[in-house]
């Protein structure tokens, strides 16, 4: 048997009615929450995958892998950075990149014995052979790959320590190359990347 008096029951109903939000208030609250969710998703929702490549070699045959990988990844929507250090800087140097060499010494895939490959003029010959194959196959040049990659948003970074060590002039790099990048920046970039490659 209830002990509530009619007056007390009416008062409870009145308080409950005051606390319950109206349909319009609920709709407004839902809209507000949806806006907050959209903002939060926009702030953190960059699902773009990242690739970080370290390029350390400046021979003709080793210039192609980082450039091909970078441009291909960019075409698939990756955010790509290529950190060039030591001889890898020659790839970014406008003049030196047009005169990269290929050595047959120590390369087991070259059809030249090491004793022959060590003879004077052999590096020039193997380089000319590779350049002819590149031309005959209509493969993109180093310069074309760099320009294409830059157009696709690839960031080419030049190691500051190596620039100073090798006495490079930053003005000699291709337009669009990021200079003055240190190892700490490269490591941070690698830590944030989904794919890290050392070439």
């Amino acid at each position: 048997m209830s002990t509530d008096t009619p007056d007390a029951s009416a008062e409870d109903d009145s308080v409950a009615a005051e606390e319950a939000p109206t349909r319009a208030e609920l709709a407004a609250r839902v809209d507000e929450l949806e806006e907050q969710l959209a903002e939060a998703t926009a702030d953190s929702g960059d699902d773009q995958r990242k690739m970080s490549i370290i390029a350390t070699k400046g021979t003709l045959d080793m210039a192609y892998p980082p450039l091909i990988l970078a441009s291909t990844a960019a075409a698939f929507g990756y955010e790509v950075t290529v950190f060039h250090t030591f001889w890898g800087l020659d790839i970014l140097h406008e003049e030196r990149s047009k005169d990269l060499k290929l050595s047959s010494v120590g390369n087991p895939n070259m059809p030249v014995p090491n004793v022959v490959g060590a003879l004077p003029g052999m590096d020039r010959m193997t380089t000319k052979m590779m350049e002819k194959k590149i031309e005959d196959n209509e493969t993109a040049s180093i310069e074309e790959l760099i320009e294409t990659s830059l157009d696709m948003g690839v960031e080419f970074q030049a190691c500051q320590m190596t620039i100073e060590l090798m006495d490079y002039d930053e003005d000699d790099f291709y337009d669009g190359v990021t200079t003055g990048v240190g190892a700490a920046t490269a490591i941070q970039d690698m830590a944030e990347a989904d794919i890290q490659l050392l070439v």
Side-chain angles (χ1 to χ4, degrees):
M1 181 179 195
S2 174
T3 57
D4 288 343
T5 62
D7 289 342
S9 179
E11 186 177 325
D12 289 344
D13 289 344
S14 175
V15 170
E18 288 177 8
E19 292 176 354
T22 65
R23 185 179 297 252
E25 290 173 335
L26 285 173
R29 181 65 180 144
V30 168
D31 289 342
E32 182 184 341
L33 290 171
E34 285 178 346
E35 286 179 13
Q36 290 175 355
L37 179 61
E39 288 175 8
T41 303
D43 291 341
S44 64
D46 185 6
D47 291 333
Q48 186 177 27
R49 293 170 59 92
K50 296 182 179 182
M51 175 184 280
S52 177
I53 302 173
I54 311 299
T56 63
K57 298 177 178 67
T59 57
L60 181 59
D61 55 329
M62 292 308 295
Y64 275 90
L67 298 177
I68 292 170
L69 290 167
S71 57
T72 303
F76 279 104
Y78 280 78
E79 179 183 330
V80 184
T81 58
V82 187
F83 180 73
H84 293 254
T85 186
F86 278 80
W87 306 120
L89 278 183
D90 283 352
I91 300 169
L92 301 180
H93 193 282
E94 280 199 77
E95 291 306 315
R96 294 183 187 214
S97 66
K98 295 169 185 168
D99 193 32
L100 300 179
K101 302 289 190 292
L102 172 65
S103 176
S104 59
V105 176
N107 187 343
N109 290 323
M110 290 295 292
V112 179
N114 281 341
V115 68
V116 176
L119 293 173
M122 285 303 295
D123 282 355
R124 184 177 292 112
M125 189 176 87
T126 53
T127 299
K128 290 296 181 189
M129 287 170 54
M130 179 57 76
E131 288 174 343
K132 186 173 186 327
K133 287 180 78 73
I134 290 170
E135 184 179 346
D136 291 347
N137 197 52
E138 297 184 355
T139 302
S141 68
I142 301 299
E143 181 179 8
E144 289 169 337
L145 282 172
I146 288 174
E147 290 176 353
T148 298
S149 298
L150 286 168
D151 289 343
M152 297 173 75
V154 173
E155 181 181 1
F156 291 111
Q157 301 175 339
C159 173
Q160 183 61 37
M161 184 199 75
T162 308
I163 289 173
E164 295 170 1
L165 180 66
M166 304 293 191
D167 199 26
Y168 284 93
D169 186 338
E170 294 182 8
D171 293 335
D172 290 337
F173 293 121
Y174 285 97
D175 290 339
V177 170
T178 304
T179 57
V181 180
T185 301
I187 290 170
Q188 182 63 38
D189 186 73
M190 285 187 283
E192 295 172 355
D194 299 286
I195 300 174
Q196 305 93 6
L197 300 173
L198 174 64
V199 180

